[in-house]
Amino acid sequence: MYDRRKFISFLGKAGLGAATLPPFLTSCGSTTTPSETFQNVGDEALRKLKDLVLENMVASDKDDLLLVSGLDYHTVIRWGEQISDNDTFGFNNDFTCFIPLDENDPTDGLLWVNHEYVNPLFVSGFDQSKYENPREHRTVEQVDKEMYAVGGSIVRVRQENGKWAVVKNDPHNRRITGQTPITLNWDSPIEGKTTVMGTNSNCSGGITPWNTFLTCEENYDGFFGETVYDENNNASKKPSWYGWEAFYNYPPEHYGWVVEIDPKDGTAQKHVALGRFAHECCTVYELEDKRVVAYTGDDRNDEHLYKFISSKPGSLKEGTLYVADTDNGKWLSLDWESQPVLKEKFKDQTEVLIRVREAAKLLGATELNRPEDIEIDPITGNVLVSLTNNKGKGDFHGSILKVEETNGAFDALTFKASTYLAGGEENGFSCPDNLAFDLSGNLWITSDMSGSSMNKEDGPYMPFKNNSLFVVPRYGKDEGKVIRVASAPRDAELTGPWFSPDGKTLFLSVQHPGEQTVDKANPTSKWPFDADGIPKPAVVAITGDLIEKMNQLRQIEAMES
Ligand code: FEO
Ligand code: CA
Ligand code: CA
């Protein structure tokens, strides 16, 4: 297990950007590395930090992005805006990730943004509420518009006079869509193809140690359906919600993967070795010998937590996929060759990876309450996993799971699992989703109560009102408390928290404001309050004195040690 102080002092000795931590952990992101190289804030400022009591925002159902005092926001980009003369920003932005173009300049770089799914009412004008059998009334023009609005965007953004703005027509700016050809990083074709069409359901993601983006296909069955198997192993097709398969004959097996995007030219590949399921995210750690460990969870009721360990440096193909038995603290190998129970059921490793949910269950993997985001605690090395909820099992408010790998080794095959933080009224939050650590190692959490269950009288979510952003301070008077610092517009979810390399900006997505709208002329949200009155998903940049203070909070411990 990691000794916390040893870990910190190791980081201290290593300094920023060095040794076993991959550069992304030290330079930017949702897991920033606490720095030992703080400038001393001085005795007076330190006293103020020690006395600091944070404002805990009262839950609100107001249709606005509300922030506690000490934080400000400005909108960086919203759905429909031109990123170049040829392309526009997609819908329902989730994961956001910033990579500086020059590592010495934290104010200029490339922002990757996931576009998870679309609301047809706004994107293609298809109003399914009008029809008894909506699928019969779809047109290819509508489906094309929807396919264009999912996937992801690469946009160059620059900070000038304290505000981030898109550099329109920068040569890096491009869209990855539901129709972009993407190669499979695998030796065998899948459903006869080695290159597949497009990506969809791009929920959260990650970054690789070699500075490429990972975007994860989550609820892929909503777009092209799913192949399901009965007890006799007979296959049948389950239709999708969007009905795209009626227009494009793309097999379900081409979706449900972790997708890697090269920021330089937008080339993309799907990593079959990481398995096929509703990937929320993919969190990659580089070992000393440059092999990588990738954590990824399956966000569906009673599904599982996975970890891939590569056998070669920098590979997301050569290696072994494991699934977690959290009851016994074991990573179970999904290797067809060495698991007789898998050999009996599946014809080869490719089939195991395509039907990995079934394979995991055969091995006795633990059913979890919808694993969402995964982040590595930069101070302890613990792996935190949001388990958002599982209403079928009576878990309405979720929790955060802590995985402590044996001896702190990310390639260990045993671990200890425990609950780190429970959702519910006592702790003031429900349904944890995305996680991020700031420069002091404070934990930031976003919540994802569904639009259909929020703010319902007598419902379990009523006390929490709108989805929110929280911070759990690591030091000081509020140590360990869950403090609400932002409240989302109506029906929206705050997603993709990502710190700029200097820790001073928190990029955040505002996803699906007004999602419950049935009449476009009367939307349930009007955020961001454009003249057309239409709600729009957007990425905002949050800055302010409070973020600076949170980044300095570790001084309290540094001074005392
Ligand atoms: Fe798209 Fe699991 O949230
Ligand atoms: Ca999510
Ligand atoms: Ca979610």
Side-chain angles (χ1 to χ4, degrees):
M1 199 190 310
Y2 264 102
D3 174 81
R4 179 162 169 269
R5 200 160 293 273
K6 222 161 72 192
F7 194 80
I8 296 172
S9 74
F10 169 73
L11 290 173
K13 267 187 237 128
L16 286 175
T20 56
L21 282 172
F24 71 89
L25 281 179
T26 62
S27 63
C28 63
S30 49
T31 308
T32 51
T33 294
S35 166
E36 288 286 314
T37 57
F38 285 134
Q39 283 190 327
N40 189 334
V41 292
D43 291 345
E44 175 63 11
L46 182 63
R47 193 185 55 72
K48 282 189 181 158
L49 280 176
K50 278 183 167 171
D51 289 341
L52 179 69
V53 175
L54 296 171
E55 178 190 340
N56 193 355
M57 181 186 273
V58 176
S60 170
D61 58 6
K62 193 171 177 204
D63 179 33
D64 204 351
L65 176 56
L66 304 174
L67 302 174
V68 285
S69 52
L71 294 179
D72 293 297
Y73 84 89
H74 56 275
T75 302
V76 181
I77 187 164
R78 64 192 78 185
W79 165 56
E81 285 179 353
Q82 299 284 147
I83 59 170
S84 68
D85 290 340
N86 302 322
D87 281 309
T88 58
F89 194 66
F91 203 70
N92 272 352
N93 33 247
D94 198 299
F95 179 63
T96 58
C97 170
F98 175 90
I99 295 180
L101 282 168
D102 169 351
E103 62 180 32
N104 297 312
D105 182 2
T107 64
D108 184 1
L110 301 179
L111 196 67
W112 166 268
V113 185
N114 275 4
H115 300 300
E116 186 172 6
Y117 62 99
V118 293
N119 185 335
L121 189 63
F122 296 123
V123 171
S124 62
F126 177 63
D127 183 356
Q128 62 155 4
S129 68
K130 280 189 180 156
Y131 308 106
E132 202 171 317
N133 297 308
R135 292 166 59 91
E136 291 167 13
H137 300 270
R138 300 289 260 141
T139 68
V140 70
E141 289 77 18
Q142 289 164 346
V143 170
D144 285 346
K145 277 186 188 164
E146 293 165 15
M147 289 179 105
Y148 180 73
V150 300
S153 293
I154 301 173
V155 271
R156 183 170 176 190
V157 293
R158 211 160 39 198
Q159 196 178 28
E160 276 170 26
N161 304 318
K163 296 253 195 293
W164 292 89
V166 170
V167 182
K168 202 181 143 189
N169 281 325
D170 185 89
H172 293 94
N173 293 5
R174 69 179 69 244
R175 286 296 320 282
I176 304 292
T177 76
Q179 294 278 26
T180 304
I182 302 179
T183 54
L184 295 176
N185 183 25
W186 196 241
D187 293 334
S188 321
I190 291 181
E191 296 295 311
K193 303 280 188 204
T194 52
T195 297
V196 305
M197 292 307 288
T199 181
N200 57 56
S201 55
N202 308 77
C203 186
S204 191
I207 185 170
T208 63
W210 46 94
N211 274 334
T212 55
F213 306 118
L214 295 173
T215 173
C216 294
E217 297 179 335
E218 191 192 41
N219 297 315
Y220 61 90
D221 57 338
F223 299 84
F224 290 100
E226 179 61 303
T227 309
V228 288
Y229 296 85
D230 66 15
E231 60 275 19
N232 299 316
N233 212 23
N234 295 317
S236 61
K237 297 283 182 216
K238 191 183 110 193
S240 74
W241 188 84
Y242 284 104
W244 290 1
E245 70 273 25
F247 298 90
Y248 294 96
N249 189 22
Y250 303 160
E253 288 78 3
H254 288 177
Y255 310 97
W257 304 106
V258 174
V259 188
E260 181 177 353
I261 311 284
D262 188 334
K264 289 194 302 292
D265 56 12
T267 48
Q269 50 180 328
K270 297 199 180 191
H271 292 302
V272 173
L274 273 55
R276 176 172 169 272
F277 47 86
H279 288 274
E280 166 75 17
C281 73
C282 183
T283 303
V284 182
Y285 188 90
E286 186 177 58
L287 300 168
E288 258 177 281
D289 60 8
K290 304 285 181 192
R291 288 178 304 120
V292 293
V293 175
Y295 294 92
T296 175
D298 187 352
D299 182 6
R300 195 168 75 164
N301 282 345
D302 308 325
E303 290 298 336
H304 310 291
L305 175 67
Y306 297 81
K307 157 167 119 169
F308 172 81
I309 306 176
S310 78
S311 54
K312 290 189 179 159
S315 178
L316 289 172
K317 177 181 165 197
E318 310 288 341
T320 305
L321 185 66
Y322 297 85
V323 64
D325 169 354
T326 59
D327 295 333
N328 298 298
K330 285 186 181 149
W331 291 106
L332 312 170
S333 163
L334 285 153
D335 177 41
W336 180 83
E337 199 60 60
S338 59
Q339 294 279 23
V341 67
L342 300 184
K343 260 191 161 163
E344 200 179 309
K345 168 110 184 175
F346 303 106
K347 66 175 188 288
D348 54 19
Q349 187 65 35
T350 306
E351 194 176 32
V352 167
L353 293 167
I354 291 171
R355 297 169 62 183
V356 75
R357 285 172 165 164
E358 294 167 78
K361 287 186 168 53
L362 282 174
L363 295 172
T366 310
E367 292 182 349
L368 296 173
N369 293 351
R370 295 186 49 203
E372 295 253 22
D373 202 4
I374 302 169
E375 295 297 334
I376 298 170
D377 183 330
I379 307 269
T380 61
N382 294 332
V383 182
L384 299 189
V385 184
S386 282
L387 301 176
T388 194
N389 64 63
N390 188 340
K391 292 172 190 166
K393 285 197 167 157
D395 176 9
F396 290 95
H397 301 303
S399 62
I400 297 173
L401 179 78
K402 179 168 81 176
V403 171
E404 297 169 77
E405 299 279 23
T406 301
N407 296 322
F410 293 102
D411 58 347
L413 296 183
T414 55
F415 61 94
K416 202 173 104 193
S418 58
T419 297
Y420 178 72
L421 195 60
E425 276 191 78
E426 197 180 324
N427 283 328
F429 75 103
S430 181
C431 304
D433 192 331
N434 298 124
L435 306 173
F437 286 98
D438 62 23
L439 287 176
S440 273
N442 304 303
L443 176 64
W444 298 67
I445 306 170
T446 64
S447 68
D448 178 17
M449 300 171 285
S450 73
S452 57
S453 53
M454 263 187 289
N455 294 305
K456 291 281 181 303
E457 288 293 344
D458 304 324
Y461 300 107
M462 190 63 191
F464 306 95
K465 305 226 170 141
N466 288 1
N467 276 316
S468 294
L469 170 71
F470 304 86
V471 65
V472 184
R474 194 153 206 143
Y475 314 99
K477 287 221 152 118
D478 291 317
E479 180 181 334
K481 286 187 192 158
V482 184
I483 313 275
R484 186 189 304 256
V485 292
S487 175
R490 217 169 281 155
D491 303 346
E493 172 194 3
L494 302 174
T495 54
W498 189 271
F499 285 97
S500 61
D502 58 9
K504 291 173 189 286
T505 297
L506 177 62
F507 293 108
L508 190 70
S509 281
V510 179
Q511 201 189 156
H512 53 75
E515 186 168 57
Q516 300 294 308
T517 299
V518 284
D519 174 10
K520 234 171 105 173
N522 209 354
T524 56
S525 169
K526 293 192 174 172
W527 191 89
F529 308 114
D530 289 345
D532 61 8
I534 300 290
K536 295 186 186 78
V539 176
V540 301
I542 297 179
T543 55
D545 183 48
L546 184 66
I547 290 186
E548 310 268 336
K549 281 194 187 127
M550 296 310 290
N551 283 331
Q552 290 170 349
L553 209 58
R554 229 186 101 238
Q555 289 260 337
I556 293 174
E557 197 209 47
M559 292 298 136
E560 283 169 354
S561 59

